[in-house]
Amino acid sequence: MRRPEASFDAIGTRWSVHVDGPLDVVTLARVRSRIASYDAVWSRFRDDSVVARMSREAGTYRLPAEAGPLLDLYAALGRCTDGAVSPLVARSLVRLGYDAGYTLRPAGGPEPAPAWDDVLGRDGTTLVVREPVLLDVGAAGKGQLVDLVAAELRDCGIEQYVVDAGGDLVHRGGAAFRVALQQPGDPTRAIGVVELDDAALCGSAVDRRAWGDGLHHVVDARTGLPTRDVVATWVVAGTAMVADGLSTAHFFADPDRLEAAFDHTYVRVQADGGVRYSLGLPGDLFA
């Protein structure tokens, strides 16, 4: 798997699919369709998504099957971070400038996320929206979509592959896939390399989506403020959804607490330059 068999843009990021052999047009069409259907439900950056309708209209919304594990994960991450990770952080992101139009201009001060039970009720994959509310599932949703794309490849008979969505990856079958961990703030340097073998790797960094002094996309739902203590994280886990969600949770929670709740390894870079990581990390750190 030396080169991507398919590369394309979707949901605001670059996708690459590496497979052992040619990727036929039918499989690629299924992959694109799966991404489009997910975006039509969960994107807060388009007016016609289900999430956008929730922001305008209270009511009962029956969501697709992936909503169950996604919202279960958010509930678990909320408990482990004492409420710092929540899909209800979207309202503060919009006020700070990370809105549907990507204006990147603050339109108000930070705003703590409302308590889930105050605005939403849930029964499996059905949400009861008591008042209009905006969701942002970006902390784990892109990782889940990587898993769903991987499932499409498996269903098409492809057993060896790497799916890469802007650095959120899942590897299945074949030789391990080497991935460099970019030095925060310097795309020409790496702080280490991970050997990804039948696992997922996701990362997050405050310099990836930053648009002003102290303004970036990693926001504490309890305060509505961007975090300052941690600047980058990476997580290796069994699925991209879990790795993605934990890469956000590691900005806020003690790593020991997260390791007790989820099977994973991690790297966390502090704002002061300090690095903390799991001893079982499948790779090497240079720093």
Side-chain angles (χ1 to χ4, degrees):
M1 292 187 287
R2 294 185 300 274
R3 63 178 179 82
E5 291 296 331
S7 294
F8 53 89
D9 294 315
I11 65 163
T13 196
R14 187 69 175 170
W15 289 73
S16 297
V17 180
H18 307 250
V19 297
D20 185 20
L23 186 64
D24 64 87
V25 294
V26 173
T27 301
L28 182 56
R30 286 184 56 166
V31 165
R32 288 181 171 275
S33 176
R34 190 66 188 90
I35 294 171
S37 63
Y38 194 91
D39 195 53
V41 174
W42 298 106
S43 176
R44 70 173 178 88
F45 297 100
R46 47 188 288 180
D47 290 337
D48 61 344
S49 70
V50 175
V51 162
R53 284 198 286 121
M54 289 181 187
S55 73
R56 298 188 297 265
E57 303 171 12
T60 300
Y61 293 83
R62 291 176 177 82
L63 302 173
E66 72 260 11
L70 180 64
L71 296 177
D72 286 345
L73 176 61
Y74 265 106
L77 295 175
R79 291 191 295 270
C80 288
T81 62
D82 296 323
V85 176
S86 168
L88 295 170
V89 75
R91 189 157 56 189
S92 193
L93 284 167
V94 169
R95 289 171 64 86
L96 294 175
Y98 193 31
D99 53 26
Y102 294 100
T103 63
L104 305 183
R105 293 192 301 272
E111 183 175 316
W116 179 276
D117 291 339
D118 289 347
V119 294
L120 294 168
R122 179 186 168 205
D123 182 8
T125 59
T126 298
L127 282 185
V128 177
V129 178
R130 300 190 179 102
E131 62 182 63
V133 65
L134 183 61
L135 300 181
D136 184 311
V137 299
K142 188 171 74 165
Q144 184 181 50
L145 185 52
V146 169
D147 292 329
L148 293 172
V149 167
E152 291 292 339
L153 297 178
R154 291 196 303 273
D155 289 347
C156 291
I158 298 174
E159 298 180 352
Q160 297 182 21
Y161 54 82
V162 173
V163 178
D164 177 359
D168 289 352
L169 303 101
V170 64
H171 167 276
R172 302 292 182 222
F177 195 73
R178 287 173 59 84
V179 185
L181 308 181
Q182 180 186 308
Q183 172 76 42
D186 187 350
T188 68
R189 299 182 59 191
I191 67 167
V193 174
V194 165
E195 295 279 347
L196 198 61
D197 188 4
D198 199 33
L201 169 70
C202 294
S204 187
V206 301
D207 62 334
R208 292 289 180 88
R209 297 186 188 91
W211 59 91
D213 185 19
L215 295 177
H216 56 77
H217 72 293
V218 186
V219 169
D220 188 331
R222 297 166 297 189
T223 63
L225 289 165
T227 184
R228 296 181 180 275
D229 296 334
V230 178
V231 296
T233 64
W234 293 269
V235 169
V236 178
T239 68
M241 181 182 72
V242 170
D244 197 15
L246 286 171
S247 71
T248 298
H250 269 284
F251 281 87
F252 304 107
D254 183 270
D256 292 339
R257 185 175 182 183
L258 294 174
E259 285 194 301
F262 296 92
D263 183 15
H264 71 288
T265 56
Y266 71 92
V267 178
R268 186 169 83 168
V269 181
Q270 302 286 138
D272 63 6
V275 179
R276 184 169 174 176
Y277 61 94
S278 301
L279 294 178
L281 185 77
D284 298 300
L285 293 184
F286 310 144

